[in-house]
Amino acid sequence: MPGVPVSTTVRSTTVRSGSAGSAGARRSAGSPPSPELTPGQARRIAISAQQLGAPPRPADAPAINRGHLIRLVRSIGLLQIDSVNVLARAHLLPIFSRLGDYPVSVLDGAAWPRSSRDRLLVEAWAHVASLIPLSVQPLVRWRQEQFATEPWGRVDTLRRNHPGFLDTVLAVIAEQGPSSAGDIEKALEAPGRETSGWWEWSITKTACEYLFAVGAIGVAYRRGFERCYHLIERVLPPEILATPTPAVADAKRALLALAARSHGIGTVADLADYYRISVRSGRIALAELVEEGEVTQVRVRGWKEPAFLHKDARIPRRVNGSALLCPFDPLIWARERTERLFGTRYRIEIYVPAAQRQYGYYVLPLLVGEQIVGRFDLKADRATGRLLVQASWSEQDTDSAAAADVAAVELVRMAGWLGLGETVVLPRGDLWRTLADRPGMRVGSAGEVSAAEDSAAEDSAAEDSAAEAGAAAAAASEPARVNR
């Protein structure tokens, strides 16, 4: 499949003189030691690069359109897709965190349009399952080729037990058009799931996911959250199909450049993780990018490893944004980097058994300026039109009252975007009393607290089963092992 490296240019933003020197300056054998940045400078670079440094858009700002969306996704590189829907899907939340209230239909039309010519984003294995700009698609084709040549246990079994089945699935999709795995099973009367369970896949689903991973089919659109596949030539616009495929080393180098632009600054491991490239390949690519002037090697005070600063990175003196960040937000998805940048240990606890969770099920840190000041376990109770704040926590050495002030504003904004009429604070965490006193908040009644506890108890068995099945799921969905 054809492709070339995409352009890594973005809107003109430069490192301020006197901060860390020119980020594009090349190092030579006789050059002085790498410039040193303070932890605060590194933190502000990262926040600014992720488009989180400015205050939220005012309520009377022009409506978000396709132009706003694609400019944002090009800046942050990709949107991670995840099935958890307790609040909102993972690919929706980073846009809200940066642009505020926006119509989800704008994203749906960009990612899953009825015509390929209207497509701006495409699903691919990038960080993990992700939406990426069309121009990045040629850069991940090398991974599709690797999937096609490497062992894949479920597919190997499928080929042995059902010879020719992959070609049959392709033929059905070609004849029927966009089809889910269930649609194909009905057309073929193929074997479905033999056992029930969250992570069980039918052979048709296995075939579809494999054909998607190797680039034979793509996701034309989603029905609810279910993928509907079509032949890749019907998913991608002609100009992307006609783009030559770059050499593997060139593609990885271009992806590392994109990662450096989106992160602003990071270690080899930080930047390689953005598109799940191995540290070894990342180190080679970054050395070449230093020679090309795309990045500069720097030192960050207190960091054990050298860092790399993108040539277009800004080092603002202040950042003034505020946002609730979902667990899959690019700013915080690399947990060790998050701890280095913010001094905050953050872990997602979805797959932790309920009794062992420290902060909650779906916990969003609150970024205010350049600090994470709190974290909130959130649930959209769509049936009753409530945003449930199931736990509220302040971070160490933060002003709890100030954190509650900002949290209340952000929670009201989120409830409005989600179409929920009120925000209910339940009595858990060290910040709930302070938060519940803020405008727009309501403390949960005894009945609501009891109902929430009953619901949690009913769900705990299913959640614990999901946690135990997590490792099995990773093995089953072999494209998740995309580090190369």
Side-chain angles (χ1 to χ4, degrees):
M1 172 107 18
V4 289
V6 298
S7 169
T8 58
T9 59
V10 292
R11 60 188 175 83
S12 177
T13 54
T14 56
V15 175
R16 295 177 181 175
S17 60
S19 298
S22 170
R26 303 184 185 186
R27 299 183 67 209
S28 63
S31 64
S34 301
E36 182 177 87
L37 300 176
T38 67
Q41 287 176 318
R43 188 163 51 246
R44 293 191 295 275
I45 291 167
I47 293 168
S48 177
Q50 280 289 314
Q51 310 302 309
L52 286 162
R57 285 166 51 93
D60 59 352
I64 300 298
N65 57 34
R66 284 164 62 92
H68 296 108
L69 175 71
I70 192 59
R71 285 192 293 273
L72 173 64
V73 180
R74 284 172 179 160
S75 293
I76 65 175
L78 57 85
L79 299 168
Q80 182 173 339
I81 298 172
D82 188 85
S83 62
V84 176
N85 195 31
V86 67
L87 180 65
R89 301 288 186 191
H91 59 283
L92 302 176
L93 287 163
I95 303 170
F96 173 77
S97 296
R98 291 156 176 81
L99 298 181
D101 194 338
Y102 74 99
V104 172
S105 59
V106 173
L107 176 58
D108 289 343
W112 300 292
R114 293 293 171 171
S115 169
S116 66
R117 291 191 175 277
D118 294 328
R119 188 179 303 281
L120 298 177
L121 306 172
V122 66
E123 289 195 42
W125 286 99
H127 179 69
V128 285
S130 308
L131 284 168
I132 58 174
L134 284 172
S135 55
V136 180
Q137 193 274 340
L139 300 180
V140 299
R141 291 175 186 163
W142 61 271
R143 180 168 286 141
Q144 296 172 342
E145 294 169 358
Q146 280 195 342
F147 287 149
T149 57
E150 293 182 344
W152 190 339
R154 283 176 173 260
V155 177
D156 295 341
T157 300
L158 186 154
R159 284 190 169 115
R160 285 194 306 270
N161 296 341
H162 305 276
F165 188 70
L166 293 172
D167 291 333
T168 301
V169 169
L170 285 172
V172 171
I173 293 173
E175 180 180 348
Q176 290 192 164
S179 304
S180 68
D183 295 333
I184 297 166
E185 285 182 353
K186 290 176 183 176
L188 296 175
E189 296 183 355
R193 299 180 179 183
E194 296 181 358
T195 58
S196 62
W198 220 25
W199 304 109
E200 295 296 335
W201 281 11
S202 69
I203 63 165
T204 311
K205 181 64 173 174
T206 298
C208 289
E209 288 300 310
Y210 175 76
L211 292 169
F212 169 70
V214 302
I217 60 177
V219 180
Y221 56 84
R222 284 182 179 254
R223 187 187 299 140
F225 196 65
E226 184 180 32
R227 284 171 166 168
C228 291
Y229 306 94
H230 208 346
L231 302 179
I232 194 64
E233 56 266 29
R234 304 292 177 83
V235 172
L236 295 176
E239 62 271 20
I240 301 300
L241 290 166
T243 303
T245 298
V248 174
D250 293 339
K252 290 182 177 180
R253 184 169 60 252
L255 290 172
L256 262 293
L258 290 173
R261 186 193 66 187
S262 296
H263 258 339
I265 189 169
T267 64
V268 173
D270 296 337
L271 302 182
D273 177 69
Y274 214 90
Y275 292 95
R276 292 296 169 91
I277 294 169
S278 71
V279 171
R280 179 178 178 276
S281 293
R283 186 171 286 111
I284 293 169
L286 284 167
E288 294 169 350
L289 291 171
V290 168
E291 289 301 311
E292 295 170 5
E294 190 73 16
V295 300
T296 294
Q297 184 172 318
V298 298
R299 291 174 289 119
V300 178
R301 198 176 306 156
W303 289 21
K304 295 179 181 179
E305 300 292 329
F308 295 85
L309 179 69
H310 192 265
K311 67 177 183 180
D312 293 330
R314 291 193 314 112
I315 311 180
R317 287 191 174 91
R318 291 174 57 90
V319 286
N320 301 304
S322 59
L324 288 161
L325 304 175
C326 85
F328 306 103
D329 192 288
L331 181 66
I332 59 170
W333 68 27
R335 309 308 185 199
E336 291 182 1
R337 181 174 185 264
T338 300
E339 196 161 351
R340 262 185 280 121
L341 285 172
F342 297 102
T344 297
R345 188 181 188 278
Y346 174 64
R347 299 292 186 272
I348 188 169
E349 296 184 279
I350 290 173
Y351 301 120
V352 175
Q356 298 175 25
R357 292 180 193 136
Q358 182 177 3
Y359 294 103
Y361 181 75
Y362 202 73
V363 177
L364 282 72
L366 174 63
L367 176 71
V368 179
E370 61 181 276
Q371 303 293 334
I372 291 176
V373 300
R375 58 184 87 189
F376 303 87
D377 182 16
L378 302 182
K379 177 179 180 178
D381 189 343
R382 297 172 180 87
T384 61
R386 299 174 304 162
L387 177 62
L388 299 181
V389 186
Q390 301 187 116
S392 310
W393 305 91
S394 62
E395 294 298 307
Q396 188 175 3
D397 299 326
T398 61
D399 183 334
S400 296
D405 289 341
V406 179
V409 172
E410 293 302 317
L411 289 166
V412 168
R413 290 175 66 238
M414 178 169 285
W417 171 60
L418 294 173
L420 304 173
E422 62 176 345
T423 303
V424 178
V425 180
L426 300 182
R428 181 167 183 252
D430 63 3
L431 192 61
W432 76 268
R433 292 182 186 276
T434 308
L435 178 63
D437 284 339
R438 297 305 186 263
M441 304 291 104
R442 177 173 71 78
V443 66
S445 66
E448 288 172 316
V449 172
S450 177
E453 290 173 349
D454 289 345
S455 176
E458 291 171 2
D459 292 342
S460 63
E463 292 169 355
D464 290 352
S465 296
E468 292 171 2
S477 181
E478 294 190 40
R481 300 183 295 107
V482 295
N483 295 71
R484 295 290 186 273

